[in-house]
Amino acid sequence: MKIPFVEHWRKRYGASAVAVFSSDGADAAGLAELLAECELLRTQAEQSGVELDDSVQSLAALDQLVPRWREDEEALHWLGNDAGLYLGTVLVRRVPGAAWVIWPDGQPVVRLASGREIDVVEAGHAWAASGAPELSQFYAEAAEF
């Protein structure tokens, strides 16, 4: 949905990522569900015959999509957010000890059991813009820690 004053503000101030603000006692399961929605990515994947079932195989299937969204700057931005959140969702659901953490600025990141924090939204933007690193490759490298 385009809201003129929001679009103008976003372009003027360079807003480029999703932010989540919650209290210290936020419901972790509710936050995980919210971040897993990824509506635009799910729609794009469904139109291409890819089912996003929060599996590692679905990341590999996303890597194979033809990147038609790169021609649309707004779609590219939002798809990058969704790709990063989906990558984070798969990490949280598949890697033991991984969990969502919200940085003070509202940026959602994934903290691995090792304590390493991964800015998955940044990775999603890189994937949407250039296809590299591949989401499945990024997952494999992160899951090793």
Side-chain angles (χ1 to χ4, degrees):
M1 174 190 305
K2 285 190 176 184
I3 303 173
F5 74 89
V6 173
E7 291 303 310
H8 175 70
W9 181 90
R10 185 176 66 78
K11 287 177 184 175
R12 183 174 181 187
Y13 293 100
S16 63
V18 66
V20 178
F21 296 96
S22 64
S23 63
D24 291 336
D27 174 26
L31 177 62
E33 287 304 312
L34 174 68
L35 295 175
E37 286 183 7
C38 313
E39 186 177 338
L40 179 60
L41 181 68
R42 290 183 188 278
T43 299
Q44 290 275 342
E46 184 179 308
Q47 290 172 353
S48 298
V50 174
E51 180 185 356
L52 299 186
D53 59 1
D54 302 341
S55 69
V56 179
Q57 293 81 9
S58 66
L59 292 174
L62 284 173
D63 290 335
Q64 301 306 311
L65 292 181
V66 176
R68 291 182 175 89
W69 58 82
R70 291 188 185 142
E71 299 168 7
D72 181 346
E73 186 177 324
E74 186 173 341
L76 177 69
H77 166 74
W78 291 110
L79 196 69
N81 281 336
D82 279 6
L85 295 176
Y86 185 70
L87 171 62
T89 296
V90 175
L91 282 165
V92 167
R93 293 186 176 165
R94 302 290 177 208
V95 176
W100 286 108
V101 175
I102 308 300
W103 283 345
D105 66 354
Q107 178 74 10
V109 298
V110 173
R111 180 179 293 149
L112 302 175
S114 66
R116 178 179 174 212
E117 292 184 348
I118 302 172
D119 186 347
V120 290
V121 173
E122 181 179 298
H125 279 278
W127 173 82
S130 68
E134 291 183 337
L135 297 174
S136 58
Q137 176 186 353
F138 194 94
Y139 172 89
E141 291 172 4
E144 288 180 2
F145 282 87

